[in-house]
Amino acid sequence: MIAEMIQESFSHVVLVTGSRSWNDEKSMCETFNDAWREWGPENVTRPVLLSGHSPKGADSIAELLWEDAGFEIIPFPADWSTCGRTAGFQRNQEMVDAAQVFREARAQVLCTAFLDLCRRPGCPQRGQEQLMPHTPGHFSHGTIHCRSRARAAGIKTTSVLHPSPPF
């Protein structure tokens, strides 16, 4: 599927990752606008969004923003019924792999990670996984995973902390 998309030559690719609890559209708009300014709006001729296609949270908000702007979206829904608990992590890797293919085809690629705290009650990793020193709690496991995979692949990554996390 991605090989077919490459032939369509997208100029800019934004991989969005974020928690299902993300609800801050304003920060997301600002992040996308910052990317446009950095790229130079005149250079963004055919952008595409790579999204995990969750019906709520960061994916949903990003898809609505891109649809409203008339931009294209490539959804990567997780196959929970086949892959079980690892489906989200497998989907994240597929999105990162796709972003790398687009980058190799000379598209500008950016991973945007919208980070909100893990809200899983009784999470055994609470207090162990921190994004940065002096940041209490730990963040959405899927978002942290996708962000770390993108960074390991050498994809430029912008991390946005929820403006009012429940510390």
Side-chain angles (χ1 to χ4, degrees):
M1 173 180 135
I2 296 303
E4 296 165 1
M5 294 289 178
I6 294 298
Q7 295 170 5
E8 296 182 28
S9 67
F10 293 103
S11 64
H12 294 76
V13 177
V14 174
L15 186 164
V16 66
T17 184
S19 72
R20 289 185 291 264
S21 60
W22 187 269
N23 61 3
D24 184 29
E25 183 177 319
K26 182 178 182 240
S27 291
M28 189 174 281
C29 283
E30 290 170 0
T31 301
F32 292 155
N33 288 335
D34 289 347
W36 252 246
R37 279 189 292 279
E38 183 177 323
W39 286 332
E42 68 282 357
N43 298 319
V44 184
T45 57
R46 190 166 180 219
V48 66
L49 179 75
L50 306 183
S51 169
H53 200 56
S54 175
K56 57 185 178 177
D59 294 350
S60 176
I61 295 169
E63 288 183 20
L64 287 172
L65 292 171
W66 280 67
E67 285 173 0
D68 287 349
F71 299 144
E72 295 176 67
I73 300 165
I74 300 175
F76 287 82
D79 187 357
W80 300 106
S81 62
T82 302
C83 303
R85 294 179 61 153
T86 65
F89 296 127
Q90 289 178 5
R91 180 262 329 274
N92 291 345
Q93 188 61 57
E94 289 171 10
M95 290 194 307
V96 169
D97 291 345
Q100 286 181 278
V101 171
F102 285 117
R103 187 177 60 188
E104 289 167 3
R106 305 216 185 276
Q108 294 291 311
V109 177
L110 174 67
C111 173
T112 56
F114 295 94
L115 295 150
D116 202 356
L117 293 177
C118 171
R119 296 174 190 251
R120 188 167 55 171
C123 177
Q125 295 182 31
R126 193 166 307 277
Q128 296 176 7
E129 180 182 34
Q130 293 183 334
L131 179 65
M132 59 192 85
H134 311 296
T135 301
H138 71 281
F139 296 87
S140 165
H141 299 249
T143 307
I144 288 293
H145 174 263
C146 192
R147 175 187 178 273
S148 67
R149 300 306 308 145
R151 290 172 56 119
I155 295 171
K156 182 178 179 185
T157 303
T158 297
S159 299
V160 182
L161 293 175
H162 196 283
S164 39
F167 292 127

